[in-house]
Amino acid sequence: MPDMSTNSITELPFMKMHGLGNDFVVVDARANPVVITPALARGIGHRRFGVGFDQLAVIERGPGDAHLTFYNSDGSTSAACGNATRCIARWLMEESGNSELHLTTDRGDLFARDAGNGLTSVNMGQPQLLWHQIPLAEELDTLELPIEGAPTATGMGNPHCTFFVEDAEQVRLEEFGSRCEHHPLYPERTNVQVAHLVAPDRLRMRVWERGVGITLASGSSSCATAVAAARRGLTGRKVQIDLDGGSLWIDWRDDGVWMTGATKHVLSGVLTRDFLEGLT
């Protein structure tokens, strides 16, 4: 396993997975620890010169069944990644034969289970609704921020800014998302969602992820949007979220926000010494 802080660089096994097109490189470091630097994350994440991913996830030994650490394609870290958590949970359940798992992340303890029919559920924990938890730069009502469009702020272990619009398809997300990600109210930047109501229990959503850009899906964004819609009285607490890559089912319960959807283990491979040495 490579340690990018030393000269001991060897081949690095990895897996490629996705949840509704939200794609991940996953490194199993339970047996052999791996040091991930921003340069290594950016190199693997490059879609021309590396493998490409929306997030890089590292599986490590933990107090539960495993500990997960997440990196964005720009080399920054994220405390939570819902779709990656579901993908890894499915793989670990198949490996162990267990139908339930206890995972730990920088977000906290997460619990996963087999939902049947090839679907996997993860409890993403309770949403963070207070300004300093998200965090925002100043004390504000998080239900409607003083930003054009009156978005809702939500924390799911990472910050979110959700705009409810007439038609999410018509928003120029590349320009809109990039601008909102860096809004001064969000000192740690933010994930940005645009959503519209399809039915009382269904939303259409598109997402811009901080440090990544437009993605086909996002688990934590889906949870944040469902929470925001329920808080604003647009929906109940159980909704279907239709994303560019498919649908997720979100259920905000007393014990946390449960997210259910499909996952795919696409391939297993090895990053070569030549590639890794080129990143030093």
Side-chain angles (χ1 to χ4, degrees):
M1 292 292 181
D3 180 340
M4 297 301 291
S5 65
T6 72
N7 293 322
S8 58
I9 303 174
T10 63
E11 294 181 337
L12 176 60
F14 73 96
M15 296 174 283
K16 188 73 183 286
M17 301 179 178
H18 77 82
L20 310 183
N22 189 195
D23 65 329
F24 316 104
V25 165
V26 179
V27 175
D28 184 0
R30 289 174 294 172
N32 298 289
V34 178
V35 174
I36 301 293
T37 64
L40 178 57
R42 288 192 299 268
I44 298 172
H46 199 292
R47 294 193 181 277
R48 298 290 185 179
F49 296 105
V51 178
F53 59 71
D54 290 331
Q55 275 82 32
L56 167 68
V58 180
I59 309 172
E60 300 168 304
R61 294 189 181 277
D65 292 291
H67 180 81
L68 309 182
T69 303
F70 306 106
Y71 300 83
N72 297 316
S73 57
D74 68 353
S76 62
T77 59
S78 178
C81 183
N83 279 330
T85 301
R86 287 192 309 102
C87 287
I88 293 167
R90 168 59 59 180
W91 183 74
L92 290 173
M93 286 189 287
E94 292 176 351
E95 177 190 65
S96 65
N98 297 328
S99 59
E100 296 185 350
L101 292 175
H102 170 205
L103 304 172
T104 61
T105 68
D106 290 345
R107 155 73 163 153
D109 293 345
L110 304 180
F111 295 89
R113 69 184 186 194
D114 183 352
N117 299 315
L119 302 179
T120 304
S121 295
V122 170
N123 184 345
M124 294 295 292
Q126 290 292 354
Q128 298 156 317
L129 306 180
L130 300 179
W131 72 276
H132 61 280
Q133 296 173 325
I134 293 170
L136 298 179
E138 58 186 272
E139 184 172 0
L140 292 168
D141 179 2
T142 61
L143 189 62
E144 293 190 6
L145 297 180
I147 299 173
E148 184 178 359
T152 297
T154 310
M156 290 299 309
N158 48 11
H160 295 271
C161 186
T162 306
F163 293 81
F164 292 100
V165 298
E166 184 174 339
D167 186 353
E169 307 287 353
Q170 299 304 312
V171 176
R172 298 176 62 180
L173 190 57
E174 185 167 357
E175 174 185 331
F176 183 78
S178 178
R179 182 173 70 251
C180 294
E181 175 188 350
H182 298 276
H183 194 282
L185 277 180
Y186 285 89
E188 297 179 4
R189 298 181 296 164
T190 184
N191 298 284
V192 181
Q193 304 88 34
V194 293
H196 68 253
L197 191 66
V198 176
D201 61 352
R202 188 172 181 180
L203 294 161
R204 170 69 172 111
M205 186 191 84
R206 298 171 63 212
V207 59
W208 173 278
E209 288 198 66
R210 63 172 180 168
V212 180
I214 296 173
T215 58
L216 296 180
S218 169
S220 62
S221 289
S222 297
C223 293
T225 296
V227 168
R231 291 179 67 202
R232 294 178 73 142
L234 300 174
T235 68
R237 289 189 166 211
K238 190 173 184 178
V239 297
Q240 176 177 321
I241 305 283
D242 297 329
L243 302 119
D244 289 342
S247 296
L248 290 171
W249 291 267
I250 312 298
D251 190 359
W252 183 12
R253 305 178 189 173
D254 290 342
D255 65 342
V257 183
W258 284 87
M259 172 182 54
T260 302
T263 64
K264 186 69 68 175
H265 179 183
V266 179
L267 61 88
S268 296
V270 177
L271 296 168
T272 67
R273 176 187 294 270
D274 180 60
F275 171 76
L276 294 169
E277 287 180 341
L279 301 177
T280 59

